[in-house]
């Protein structure tokens, strides 16, 4: 059984979309990554921080799934990271209404001793200094280090971000972020530049238009499954990352073909995440649903052709 270390936020989210709105609900990058990775045969642990306002019932969600939360710091008297946002009608854009870092602002991650030998490390969207701090705590270099980041860190911590990018194997970003990181409009050129920075593999997420994988001269495209209903895109990217990392930790196969499969698994799980608000769909998800939709992905992408 592979070991997966997940580093990221556990949070409260308040979400409004054209289909409704919520009060404070469970959210955060590590939350979605962990729930997605739980669908695979892996031993996983989360490193994060919350305040003592974080309900025990939320922590029990992870403990009940045998996700190790010994690396989750609970700050007495502290408040948990809180994000509130409102999505536009197309669900592709949103307005951030509230961001309160709270305990996340002073987060000093401590990797549990029994996970310092993890096969795969998934660095969720956090300050680059936190990400590099986790890498430095590992006893030996993991088989694969995956990093997620965003334009905020490009705007505010450029030097630190470039430094951590030198030490990773896979970066997952969206198309806008890839262009900002490289000053290249062409995603092919952008991916080539990013590979020169350090990562062997570049995954560029395009939301409802799928995801692209770049490795050396190879390119692979995974479509997004057309869905009848999309309620809430929050956490879809992190769910994708969790499925991606979970598959690779389970197989321990770090090849281009295996990573192609990991992208399909990540896209598959992300398609469930958006069907309900927050983590609701991921918590109720069953294996037979996952397998059925994987077959739909297969039918969507396979064809026979004769060249004459």
């Amino acid at each position: 059984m592979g070991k997966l270390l997940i580093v990221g936020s556990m949070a409260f989210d308040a979400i409004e979309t054209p289909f409704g709105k919520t009060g404070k609900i469970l959210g955060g990058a590590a939350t979605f990554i962990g729930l997605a990775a739980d669908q695979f045969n892996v031993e996983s642990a989360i490193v994060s921080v919350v305040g003592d306002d974080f309900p025990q019932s939320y922590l029990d969600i992870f403990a009940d799934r045998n996700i190790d939360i010994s690396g989750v710091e609970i700050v007495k008297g502290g408040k948990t990271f809180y994000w509130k946002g409102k999505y536009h009608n197309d669900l592709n854009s949103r307005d951030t209404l509230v961001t309160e870092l709270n305990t996340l602002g002073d987060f000093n991650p401590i990797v549990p001793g029994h996970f310092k030998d993890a096969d795969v490390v998934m660095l969720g969207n956090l300050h680059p200094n936190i990400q590099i701090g986790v890498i430095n705590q590992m006893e030996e270099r993991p088989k694969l280090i995956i990093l997620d980041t965003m334009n905020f860190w490009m705007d505010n911590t450029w030097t630190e971000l470039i430094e951590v990018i030198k030490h990773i194997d896979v970066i997952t970003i969206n198309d806008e972020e890839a262009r900002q990181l490289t000053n290249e409009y062409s995603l092919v050129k952008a991916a080539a530049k990013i590979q020169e920075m350090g990562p062997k593999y570049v995954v560029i997420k395009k939301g409802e238009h799928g995801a692209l994988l770049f490795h050396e001269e190879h390119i692979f495209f995974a479509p997004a499954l057309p869905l009848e209903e999309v309620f809430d895109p929050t956490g879809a990217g992190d769910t994708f990352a969790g499925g991606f990392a979970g598959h690779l930790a389970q197989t321990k196969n770090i090849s281009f073909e295996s990573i192609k499969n990991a992208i399909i698994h990540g896209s598959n799980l992300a398609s469930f995440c958006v069907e309900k608000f927050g983590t609701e769909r991921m918590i109720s998800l069953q294996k037979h649903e996952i397998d059925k939709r994987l077959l739909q992905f297969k039918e969507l992408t396979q064809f026979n052709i004769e060249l004459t």
Side-chain angles (χ1 to χ4, degrees):
M1 182 184 295
K3 294 178 77 171
L4 170 64
L5 180 69
I6 300 161
V7 185
S9 61
M10 299 173 78
F12 294 130
D13 289 342
I15 303 156
E16 182 175 352
T17 79
F19 304 102
K21 60 182 179 179
T22 72
K24 284 187 177 182
I25 58 175
L26 176 61
T31 294
F32 287 102
I33 293 168
L35 291 174
D38 182 57
Q39 303 299 332
F40 301 87
N41 184 28
V42 296
E43 186 181 353
S44 60
I46 291 176
V47 174
S48 190
V49 63
V50 296
D52 58 9
D53 58 344
F54 199 74
Q56 182 63 43
S57 60
Y58 284 176
L59 293 171
D60 290 343
I61 290 171
F62 304 97
D64 291 347
R65 287 165 168 74
N66 293 318
I67 299 171
D68 190 309
I69 54 173
S70 61
V72 177
E73 179 187 0
I74 303 174
V75 179
K76 187 175 181 180
K79 290 187 176 182
T80 301
F81 175 72
Y82 171 54
W83 177 83
K84 181 178 182 179
K86 180 178 181 179
Y87 286 88
H88 299 171
N89 286 337
D90 63 359
L91 293 177
N92 288 322
S93 55
R94 69 188 184 192
D95 297 322
T96 294
L97 305 178
V98 178
T99 300
E100 297 176 1
L101 288 177
N102 297 327
T103 54
L104 194 63
D106 300 314
F107 181 34
N108 180 27
I110 304 297
V111 177
H114 53 294
F115 267 86
K116 289 186 177 181
D117 62 346
D119 301 292
V120 177
V121 173
M122 178 67 231
L123 300 171
N125 176 29
L126 287 170
H127 194 294
N129 284 347
I130 294 176
Q131 295 171 326
I132 198 73
V134 169
I135 293 173
N136 290 337
Q137 290 181 56
M138 305 305 291
E139 290 178 349
E140 57 184 59
R141 197 185 192 287
K143 291 184 175 69
L144 197 72
I145 302 175
I146 307 164
L147 176 137
D148 188 22
T149 192
M150 65 181 296
N151 48 17
F152 178 83
W153 307 118
M154 297 175 200
D155 291 334
N156 297 283
T157 60
W158 177 264
T159 302
E160 296 92 335
L161 178 60
I162 295 302
E163 181 60 30
V164 72
I165 286 175
K166 294 177 183 177
H167 298 274
I168 64 168
D169 302 296
V170 184
I171 187 170
T172 66
I173 51 178
N174 66 32
D175 46 358
E176 176 190 354
E177 292 156 352
R179 291 180 173 120
Q180 179 175 343
L181 188 59
T182 61
N183 287 318
E184 292 284 358
Y185 182 80
S186 163
L187 294 179
V188 176
K189 290 182 178 179
K193 274 195 174 182
I194 295 170
Q195 288 182 75
E196 291 173 1
M197 297 176 184
K200 302 180 185 71
Y201 300 91
V202 178
V203 178
I204 299 179
K205 300 171 288 186
K206 293 171 61 65
E208 63 180 322
H209 303 297
L212 287 159
L213 168 65
F214 297 87
H215 172 59
E216 296 176 344
E217 301 301 318
H218 304 288
I219 303 175
F220 174 71
F221 173 70
L225 194 70
L227 299 173
E228 290 185 12
E229 292 182 315
V230 176
F231 277 85
D232 173 22
T234 310
D238 294 315
T239 300
F240 170 90
F244 180 86
H247 172 76
L248 293 171
Q250 174 180 277
T251 62
K252 297 185 181 181
N253 180 1
I254 313 302
S255 65
F256 184 67
E257 290 302 314
S258 180
I259 290 178
K260 283 164 62 174
N261 285 332
I263 285 202
I264 295 296
H265 281 284
S267 298
N268 188 45
L269 290 173
S271 74
F272 288 104
C273 177
V274 302
E275 291 181 337
K276 298 286 184 182
F277 281 105
T279 58
E280 181 180 350
R281 189 68 176 95
M282 297 307 296
I283 289 173
S284 66
L285 189 56
Q286 301 294 314
K287 187 178 186 303
H288 69 89
E289 297 176 294
I290 297 171
D291 292 344
K292 180 179 178 181
R293 192 162 288 183
L294 275 173
L295 290 176
Q296 290 180 270
F297 265 96
K298 186 176 180 182
E299 292 173 1
L300 189 68
T301 55
Q302 285 200 337
F303 61 89
N304 294 317
I305 190 169
E306 292 185 9
L307 298 177
T308 58

